[in-house]
């Protein structure tokens, strides 16, 4: 659960999502969040297209090679 909250906060800070924490979840808060995201769907789509995420595969690959080299 901790990673999910961190990830959700990251994307919310980038303006790419709206987070409703479980402890704040009500029928009204969920409906408001859905309406907000839906009303901003075009802006959110544009932001997502320009989001630069690191190449996870390359990062993992480099880490594995580094670990492998240390163990030789």
């Amino acid at each position: 659960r901790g990673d999910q909250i961190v990830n959700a906060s990251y994307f919310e800070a980038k303006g790419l999502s709206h987070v409703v924490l479980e402890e704040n979840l009500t029928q009204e808060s969920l409906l408001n969040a859905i309406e907000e995201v839906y009303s901003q769907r075009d802006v959110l789509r544009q932001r997502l297209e320009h989001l630069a995420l690191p190449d996870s595969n390359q990062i993992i690959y480099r880490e594995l090679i580094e670990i492998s080299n240390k163990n030789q």
Side-chain angles (χ1 to χ4, degrees):
R1 178 159 152 66
D3 288 347
Q4 292 174 349
I5 294 171
V6 170
N7 291 338
S9 296
Y10 171 83
F11 284 99
E12 184 175 45
K14 296 278 186 189
L16 298 168
S17 69
H18 181 83
V19 175
V20 179
L21 297 175
E22 186 175 358
E23 55 268 17
N24 299 328
L25 184 61
T26 64
Q27 184 176 1
E28 183 179 352
S29 67
L30 179 58
L31 183 58
N32 288 339
I34 291 169
E35 289 174 346
E36 181 179 335
V37 169
Y38 185 77
S39 71
Q40 296 178 357
R41 66 190 178 280
D42 293 330
V43 172
L44 293 171
R45 188 175 297 121
Q46 288 175 344
R47 289 178 185 163
L48 281 170
E49 289 173 359
H50 295 99
L51 179 65
L53 292 176
D55 185 348
S56 303
N57 292 332
Q58 282 296 319
I59 293 169
I60 293 168
Y61 173 77
R62 283 190 216 117
E63 289 294 321
L64 290 172
I65 294 298
E66 186 177 323
I67 292 167
S68 174
N69 288 336
K70 287 179 183 179
N71 292 328
Q72 289 183 8

